[in-house]
Amino acid sequence: MRTRLLPLLIVLMAGVLLALGFPLAVSLAAAQQQKVVIDRIDDTARFAGLAQYVTQRPTGSRQVQKDERLATLQKQLIRYHAVYGIKAGVFYRDGDVMASTPGFEVPESGEGDEAFREALAGRGSHNPRQVWPWQNRRLYVASSVIRDGDVVAVVVTDSPTGKMRSATQDGWLVIGAGEAAAMLLAIGAALRLTGWVLRPVRVLDATTHDIATGRLKSRVAAAGGPPELRRLARSFNEMADNVQDVLEQQRAFVADASHQLRNPLAALLLRIELLALELPEGNEEIASVRTEGKRLAQVLDDLLDLALAEHAAADLRLTDIGELAAERVDAWRPLADDRGVTLSCEGLSAATAWADPVALSSALDAVIDNALKFTPAGEGVTVTVASNGSSATIVVADGGPGLTDDELERVGDRFWRSGRHQNVKGSGLGLSITRALLAAGGGSISFARNAPRGLRVTVRVP
């Protein structure tokens, strides 16, 4: 969940920072250009003030006076260009040069021509089009030279934009650094926020897994997080307590009922035996009653074993699965030989796993007994030990009739037996006891078809 929630928060915060950063960058560029434009407007206004007394081309006796004023204007323009590197010129309405820096003429097109025409119309120079750091353009500003209310000339400045673009770029770098720092802080805050929100969820998930694998005493530890999740943790603990109480009551009932019924059943079987002494030998009815009584006794014993298996805690330890499997195969081989069934152990001779040796031995006994019970003479039962590093498996494959797909879905349920095997001795609880013994230690049991026929039972332990 964190891998899905964290990118969402980061994208949202990045969007907010970009939404703030772009307008700020544009505003900074506009402010830098506005500063330059205002400075150029002041310069053109000063030159316009000097040029308003030489707006007429010099003629006759006023030639000397006008030459002195023109010479002063020309010196100011040359000095201005030498100090600031900005070209400037004063032009009559027809475009003739009154005075200018060397080589500067009225722009014939583009932004310079637009600025000249606006000043010529008496509107003054407006804010030029924005110059961005990647655009190597020049900045034109023009002002009108007015005398007696008429525009008689125009002052035009042609400014390089290198320093302005560098200043804008430096400002953008500062904004970018601030955005990056803010993004790092936002990511840190998102990590803390998601950790704070999801910590109770992780604890709840781990506890749920523990309970699902048989560790019913696991509970959600007190942790931080939103109040809603803390309430959920308390509610989950209450639910787990109630479920555990119900299961304990069920187990206690099964154990007590099994234990309490054993004595009356034993007395009943004894009376049946006494009654059998008074009946003719070989009486079919008494034999049937005796068989059903023994079957009922076996069911009660299996119920008690199931209750104990579900209630007892596993004594987990490092166990050599290969050695344990070989030992159980040797223990069952005499019975297999007596029934004409070949029982063999294959695979790894040594495989370490984390298991309860007693519980695993009991589980293997139940599985091997079941395999021998349904395997006809002349067929074989194979016990194979394997390991993949994370878990160890013991596979018991028999050559019996096997199970159908519907039967495979129900095998291992309590008291379930295939309709084809109702006459085979058993209570239908053996595999349920095996599953309970394995689950207590974190193991599992699964069933599948064996090729070409039979059943394949896989016991898996960590």
Side-chain angles (χ1 to χ4, degrees):
M1 183 181 291
R2 186 173 189 176
T3 57
R4 295 188 295 270
L5 182 59
L6 188 59
L8 179 61
L9 292 176
I10 292 176
V11 168
L12 289 176
M13 289 183 288
V16 171
L17 290 176
L18 290 176
L20 295 175
F22 274 111
L24 182 60
V26 172
S27 176
L28 176 65
Q32 290 289 344
Q33 180 165 318
Q34 187 68 25
K35 179 181 178 181
V36 174
V37 170
I38 291 175
D39 188 58
R40 294 298 93 80
I41 290 176
D42 291 342
D43 295 338
T44 55
R46 181 169 61 87
F47 291 132
L50 294 174
Q52 63 180 338
Y53 297 106
V54 290
T55 53
Q56 297 291 333
R57 290 179 175 84
T59 57
S61 61
R62 301 173 60 188
Q63 179 75 35
V64 176
Q65 181 182 9
K66 300 214 173 177
D67 281 345
E68 291 178 357
R69 293 173 180 173
L70 185 60
T72 300
L73 178 60
Q74 184 69 34
K75 290 179 181 179
Q76 290 288 335
L77 293 173
I78 294 175
R79 178 65 176 171
Y80 181 69
H81 178 260
V83 174
Y84 300 107
I86 301 173
K87 296 180 181 179
V90 183
F91 304 95
Y92 294 109
R93 291 183 59 89
D94 57 3
D96 290 343
V97 177
M98 178 187 298
S100 70
T101 55
F104 184 57
E105 298 179 353
V106 177
E108 295 181 357
S109 61
E111 296 181 11
D113 182 61
E114 293 177 4
F116 178 83
R117 293 183 180 280
E118 288 183 357
L120 196 62
R123 293 194 296 268
S125 184
H126 69 288
N127 190 20
R129 193 155 47 100
Q130 180 66 48
V131 179
W132 302 108
W134 58 85
Q135 294 176 328
N136 188 15
R137 289 169 36 212
R138 302 185 71 84
L139 195 64
Y140 293 92
V141 176
S143 292
S144 305
V145 179
I146 300 175
R147 185 173 185 182
D148 297 333
D150 295 327
V151 177
V152 294
V154 174
V155 180
V156 181
T157 59
D158 177 8
S159 307
T161 58
K163 291 183 179 181
M164 181 185 72
R165 290 185 287 113
S166 296
T168 301
Q169 187 173 1
D170 293 342
W172 283 8
L173 290 176
V174 173
I175 293 175
E179 292 269 322
M183 192 64 200
L184 291 176
L185 291 176
I187 292 175
L191 288 172
R192 293 294 300 273
L193 178 62
T194 54
W196 177 71
V197 170
L198 298 179
R199 187 180 298 111
V201 178
R202 290 195 299 269
V203 175
L204 182 61
D205 178 67
T207 305
T208 304
H209 176 73
D210 290 342
I211 293 177
T213 53
R215 293 184 284 273
L216 298 179
K217 294 184 179 180
S218 298
R219 295 293 181 270
V220 179
E228 295 80 3
L229 292 180
R230 292 200 297 269
R231 287 197 299 269
L232 176 61
R234 289 193 296 269
S235 300
F236 181 86
N237 287 338
E238 293 175 0
M239 180 194 69
D241 291 337
N242 294 332
V243 171
Q244 186 179 13
D245 290 342
V246 171
L247 291 177
E248 292 294 339
Q249 292 172 6
Q250 290 180 348
R251 292 170 184 168
F253 172 77
V254 172
D256 292 343
S258 302
H259 186 271
Q260 294 298 325
L261 288 174
R262 291 178 70 182
N263 291 334
L265 181 60
L268 180 61
L269 292 176
L270 180 59
R271 290 180 181 273
I272 291 173
E273 294 297 331
L274 293 176
L275 181 62
L277 295 176
E278 301 178 1
L279 296 176
E281 187 175 352
N283 186 283
E284 294 183 0
E285 292 297 331
I286 198 66
S288 177
V289 171
R290 184 186 291 115
T291 300
E292 292 298 327
K294 291 180 179 180
R295 182 171 179 270
L296 181 58
Q298 182 63 43
V299 170
L300 291 178
D301 289 340
D302 289 345
L303 280 174
L304 185 58
D305 291 340
L306 178 60
L308 294 176
E310 291 179 339
H311 182 72
D315 181 18
L316 298 179
R317 63 183 70 176
L318 288 177
T319 306
D320 189 344
I321 303 301
E323 180 182 356
L324 188 146
E327 175 187 332
R328 301 321 304 158
V329 168
D330 291 339
W332 284 93
R333 186 168 283 118
L335 178 60
D337 294 340
D338 183 63
R339 295 182 178 180
V341 177
T342 303
L343 179 60
S344 61
C345 185
E346 300 177 355
L348 300 176
S349 59
T352 304
W354 191 250
D356 184 340
V358 176
L360 184 58
S361 297
S362 300
L364 284 178
D365 287 342
V367 175
I368 295 175
D369 177 37
N370 204 63
L372 293 176
K373 189 183 301 181
F374 294 102
T375 301
E379 297 292 340
V381 174
T382 304
V383 179
T384 306
V385 180
S387 176
N388 60 7
S390 62
S391 64
T393 58
I394 303 175
V395 180
V396 180
D398 63 55
L403 298 173
T404 64
D405 291 338
D406 294 337
E407 291 171 338
L408 283 175
E409 293 180 358
R410 297 200 58 190
V411 63
D413 293 348
R414 297 177 183 179
F415 298 106
W416 181 85
R417 304 185 70 195
S418 173
R420 297 174 292 157
H421 306 148
Q422 293 298 324
N423 295 328
V424 180
K425 181 181 177 181
S427 62
L429 289 173
L431 294 180
S432 299
I433 296 173
T434 300
R435 177 172 290 170
L437 291 172
L438 293 172
S444 63
I445 184 171
S446 59
F447 308 90
R449 290 181 176 178
N450 185 39
R453 63 179 178 272
L455 185 65
R456 185 181 184 88
V457 181
T458 302
V459 175
R460 189 181 305 274
V461 291

